[in-house]
Amino acid sequence: MKKNTLIWVVVIAAIALIAVWMVGRYNVMVTEEENVETAWGQVENQYQRRTDLVNQLVGATEGMAIYETQYMTDVISARAKATQITVDPSNITPEQLQQFQAAQGELSQALGRLLVSVEQYPELKGDQHFMKLMTEIEGSENRLAVARNTFNEQARVYNTYIRKFPNNIIAGMFGFDKRPYFEAEEGAKKAPTVDFKSLKH
Amino acid sequence: MRKELLLFVFCVTLCLTARGAGYTVSTLPDPKVDCADCYVSNPDGVLSASAVDYINSLSQSLKKTSDVEMAVVVIDAFDEYVYADAFSFCQDLFNTWGIGGAEHNTGVLVFMALQSRDVRIHTGGGMEGLLPDIKCDEILDYRSTYLSAGDYDEGISAICNDITNVLTTDEAQAELLLGYKPKSTEATKDLTIYLIAAILAFLLIYLFGYKKWNDKKNVNKQALINSTAPVQTASGCLTLFFPIPMLFFFLYFKRKRRNIRTEPVECEQCKSKMRRISSIDRFVYLNPKQRTETKIEAIDYDVWVCQTCGKVHTEPLEGRRYRDFSQCSVCGAMANKLTGTTILSNSTYTTHGKKKLTYTCQYCQSVTTSVITLPLLVRSSSSSSGSGSGSGRSGRGSSGGSWGGGSSFGGGAGRKF
């Protein structure tokens, strides 16, 4: 009788300990997942902010000489493409993220070319409103870089946590999935691309 | 020989120039390390001492009135192999140092690098409303004329002054001091640890105390009482931390231990219940030796008397001062008390010393002695005479400070001058 009670107490205590331990791990996962989501929210905010700024920019330049150029046409078409792609934050696949990033990256590049071309249009350099918008867009690009880095950092922390043993068991039980990363496009954009095929000739 | 020497000199210069190519965030001196009230990192001496003092005074007043930290970094160059541009250097530096209050990210970094002709105002996450990129760009646009002319003291001071002016208007102050949200504490983790500790404590007390009581094989009353004394004390102490389970244990043990002493004993002769004699009356039933032992509190005797046949049964229990006494080798009473120690020879680093202990029996008054060997002396590795030497450094450390832990999301504006 007494021995039975002891066994029961030990079993219940062991179950309680395991439960407490699992609850702890589970809660850390929820927190980390929430951090990834928050970081993604920041990324979306910053993209939205840039889209708004581009809309203003397009409005401000209507009727000006630059509006008719290829630079502006590129920006407008890239914006249209970028706004079409929306991503569900709780369910991002690497392919979706890559698509999203490609579309947004195209807009970045179009804006970059526009920024450089401004030198050719003295009337624009004198336009206060336009120059302010360009400063804002530049700041927006900076913030985007930071937001993407933060997202990657959070996603890395979360992915590492859920993939470690024995956390992966709990993650599997409750459906915590690995999150994709942003590819490093900044560095790739800066390095000059050399076409080796053309060099051979 | 000369050729090799030249080659060596060339290599050394190459290494030095490569190393001196510019600062990284980790090699840049942090002004907060040496002095809590310093905000300017000016390792290459680009700014004059008076300009540094002026900027420090501006930053100090900002820090005092609102939780804003304005850091100023003026260097010759940053390492262009590590950082693509001034922005990425500033962003890394800002978050590594943690400029500004952590709660609202109220930090501003003013940065200038001479070689790349970069000047930048980098804002913390909470400052983007008061110092939008446009505002920063305006300030830089307006003040970069000083910098282009090479008047760095005036240029940087003016930029810092402009920032201070923006941040000290009444509206800005009101916004900066607006409702500080109380930080939500991570109580769940502490609670988990507490619960685990409570379960462990419960299990330990259960195994060492409760189980022992209810073990039917354990019939030795005396041993039972003695061995559960520490468990009762332990559960009493633990009541402070885990009131609910431990108070139950404590009261349970207290009751049990009292009850077991007063529980009627069966007479060995006639098998009838015996009566316990009260603590004052029991002396009549004790022999002189037992009386002494009771008086000096070495042993506490419980006396039982059979009501039918008159048999007396004494039950010895550990007294309150049981540990102060040992058994006398002459009369056998538990009354040998340590009454004196004499050191016969001191220990050295190589030979053991000897000490004589004198015991006197409180009952038969016989004196016994025993000699014990003392441990060798041990050379201590640190001499205590030099204890004052460490204070200089800690004194210096205490005057240092740290940044508030704020972070930036990449706000601000920069330009070439």
Side-chain angles (χ1 to χ4, degrees):
Chain A
M1 173 62 200
K2 288 297 164 194
K3 205 176 172 186
N4 274 347
T5 327
L6 176 68
I7 290 168
W8 275 113
V9 167
V10 169
V11 165
I12 289 168
I15 290 172
L17 273 175
I18 291 171
V20 165
W21 173 81
M22 269 181 63
V23 165
R25 294 292 168 116
Y26 177 85
N27 283 347
V28 172
M29 280 177 205
V30 170
T31 314
E32 293 296 347
E33 195 181 32
E34 204 52 45
N35 284 345
V36 176
E37 231 106 289
T38 312
W40 178 256
Q42 269 299 315
V43 171
E44 277 194 325
N45 274 348
Q46 296 301 348
Y47 275 121
Q48 185 56 47
R49 175 189 159 124
R50 189 179 65 169
T51 312
D52 293 346
L53 286 168
V54 171
N55 289 345
Q56 283 185 42
L57 185 78
V58 172
T61 50
E62 229 168 333
M64 289 180 174
I66 199 168
Y67 194 77
E68 307 298 329
T69 60
Q70 185 61 39
Y71 301 120
M72 210 63 196
T73 326
D74 282 353
V75 169
I76 291 168
S77 67
R79 178 195 61 172
K81 241 187 259 173
T83 45
Q84 273 168 14
I85 297 178
T86 49
V87 172
D88 177 16
S90 59
N91 204 2
I92 321 173
T93 65
E95 293 76 31
Q96 274 178 330
L97 190 67
Q98 208 178 2
Q99 269 183 352
F100 179 77
Q101 195 184 357
Q104 296 287 358
E106 204 175 306
L107 181 56
S108 288
Q109 281 166 24
L111 282 167
R113 285 195 297 271
L114 179 71
L115 207 66
V116 173
S117 74
V118 167
E119 298 293 327
Q120 301 165 16
Y121 298 87
E123 55 153 350
L124 278 179
K125 289 203 86 178
D127 187 334
Q128 284 290 316
H129 184 49
F130 181 81
M131 291 313 288
K132 277 184 180 178
L133 279 172
M134 288 318 267
T135 311
E136 286 279 11
I137 287 174
E138 215 182 316
S140 210
E141 293 285 341
N142 286 338
R143 286 182 176 83
L144 268 172
V146 173
R148 279 196 301 258
N149 277 342
T150 312
F151 173 80
N152 275 358
E153 185 53 34
Q154 290 295 353
R156 194 187 57 74
V157 170
Y158 168 77
N159 287 343
T160 316
Y161 192 81
I162 61 164
R163 285 176 62 198
K164 267 187 190 160
F165 183 82
N167 299 353
N168 55 355
I169 299 169
I170 303 169
M173 275 164 70
F174 294 101
F176 288 96
D177 297 325
K178 192 172 174 287
R179 296 298 170 86
Y181 301 108
F182 277 105
E183 307 293 328
E185 63 163 352
E186 295 302 303
K189 211 166 69 184
K190 283 206 171 68
T193 44
V194 180
D195 191 354
F196 286 101
K197 272 178 196 161
S198 63
L199 281 179
K200 274 180 183 169
H201 298 289
Chain B
M1 185 66 199
R2 260 180 67 192
K3 235 182 198 171
E4 279 150 24
L5 197 74
L6 268 175
L7 195 71
F8 177 73
V9 170
F10 175 74
C11 285
V12 167
T13 357
L14 199 72
C15 290
L16 284 177
T17 46
R19 270 189 62 83
Y23 289 99
T24 63
V25 168
S26 49
T27 58
L28 181 72
D30 182 347
K32 285 277 185 187
V33 170
D34 284 333
C35 119
D37 261 349
C38 296
Y39 294 87
V40 184
S41 180
N42 182 30
D44 299 321
V46 177
L47 297 180
S48 68
S50 62
V52 170
D53 285 346
Y54 174 70
I55 296 166
N56 271 332
S57 71
L58 285 177
S59 287
Q60 283 156 20
S61 72
L62 268 180
K63 173 77 180 173
K64 215 177 280 175
T65 51
S66 44
D67 198 25
V68 174
E69 284 179 340
M70 179 169 67
V72 176
V73 173
V74 179
I75 53 174
D76 189 50
F78 57 86
D79 194 336
E80 292 190 16
Y81 288 101
V82 183
Y83 305 99
D85 49 19
F87 165 77
S88 47
F89 181 83
C90 287
Q91 176 63 25
D92 193 7
L93 180 69
F94 200 106
N95 288 350
T96 307
W97 281 5
I99 302 166
E103 203 172 334
H104 294 284
N105 299 316
T106 48
V108 184
L109 169 67
V110 177
F111 172 78
M112 183 175 88
L114 274 186
Q115 252 176 44
S116 54
R117 308 197 71 75
D118 271 309
V119 62
R120 182 171 175 83
I121 299 174
H122 204 85
T123 53
M127 304 299 285
E128 291 183 13
L130 290 169
L131 282 170
D133 299 0
I134 305 283
K135 188 75 206 166
C136 297
D137 191 56
E138 256 173 35
I139 294 174
L140 293 179
D141 187 29
Y142 189 53
R143 299 302 185 185
S144 61
T145 44
Y146 287 118
L147 301 178
S148 313
D151 193 352
Y152 306 123
D153 277 2
E154 190 59 40
I156 299 295
S157 299
I159 289 170
C160 292
N161 203 18
D162 289 347
I163 293 172
T164 312
N165 285 342
V166 171
L167 296 181
T168 45
T169 58
D170 288 345
E171 297 86 46
Q173 284 291 311
E175 188 180 328
L176 283 170
L177 299 172
L178 196 75
Y180 279 86
K181 272 180 269 169
K183 218 172 176 180
S184 62
T185 47
E186 282 285 330
T188 28
K189 202 176 173 186
D190 298 340
L191 191 70
T192 315
I193 293 168
Y194 177 80
L195 280 176
I196 291 172
I199 290 170
L200 281 177
F202 185 89
L203 274 178
L204 279 177
I205 298 288
Y206 175 85
L207 287 174
F208 285 102
Y210 189 82
K211 195 173 159 252
K212 212 177 253 175
W213 270 117
N214 296 295
D215 199 346
K216 281 282 178 274
K217 279 178 279 179
N218 201 346
V219 285
N220 191 341
K221 211 162 108 179
Q222 188 191 345
L224 194 59
I225 289 173
N226 291 340
S227 68
T228 48
V231 182
Q232 185 188 343
T233 319
S235 58
C237 293
L238 285 169
T239 305
L240 285 175
F241 302 104
F242 315 109
I244 295 164
M246 290 306 150
L247 190 64
F248 155 74
F249 271 129
F250 178 69
L251 294 175
Y252 176 81
F253 286 131
K254 204 172 170 184
R255 207 182 132 85
K256 272 280 192 183
R257 291 183 73 231
R258 200 179 50 222
N259 284 357
I260 201 169
R261 274 184 82 160
T262 53
E263 194 176 274
V265 178
E266 208 169 67
C267 179
E268 285 170 11
Q269 279 180 0
C270 58
K271 304 289 174 202
S272 61
K273 298 277 183 205
M274 297 174 96
R275 190 171 66 91
R276 188 168 181 255
I277 307 298
S278 75
S279 66
I280 302 159
D281 296 339
R282 65 185 166 161
F283 281 95
V284 181
Y285 298 94
L286 297 176
N287 62 34
K289 199 198 279 177
Q290 290 170 332
R291 264 179 234 169
T292 311
E293 284 169 339
T294 310
K295 257 183 220 154
I296 61 174
E297 293 185 293
I299 292 176
D300 197 2
Y301 284 99
D302 274 2
V303 179
W304 298 84
V305 175
C306 182
Q307 298 291 83
T308 41
C309 65
K311 184 172 163 54
V312 177
H313 170 75
T314 53
E315 181 97 37
L317 296 165
E318 277 181 23
R320 199 188 304 236
R321 300 177 60 197
Y322 179 77
R323 265 152 250 279
D324 293 348
F325 297 94
S326 57
Q327 194 163 24
C328 174
S329 52
V330 181
C331 63
M334 192 70 186
N336 237 1
K337 192 184 180 188
L338 186 65
T339 47
T341 57
T342 335
I343 292 173
L344 301 174
S345 62
N346 272 315
S347 284
T348 64
Y349 292 115
T350 48
T351 56
H352 288 277
K354 283 190 162 51
K355 189 158 83 171
K356 190 174 81 177
L357 304 175
T358 313
Y359 294 94
T360 312
C361 177
Q362 303 293 304
Y363 174 64
C364 65
Q365 303 302 328
S366 57
V367 177
T368 44
T369 58
S370 69
V371 176
I372 57 164
T373 38
L374 297 170
L376 288 178
L377 289 183
V378 179
R379 271 178 231 275
S380 60
S381 52
S382 65
S383 66
S384 57
S385 61
S387 65
S389 64
S391 64
R393 199 173 159 190
S394 68
R396 184 172 156 272
S398 68
S399 72
S402 60
W403 301 93
S407 54
S408 165
F409 306 134
R415 58 163 58 216
K416 303 276 183 186
F417 59 84

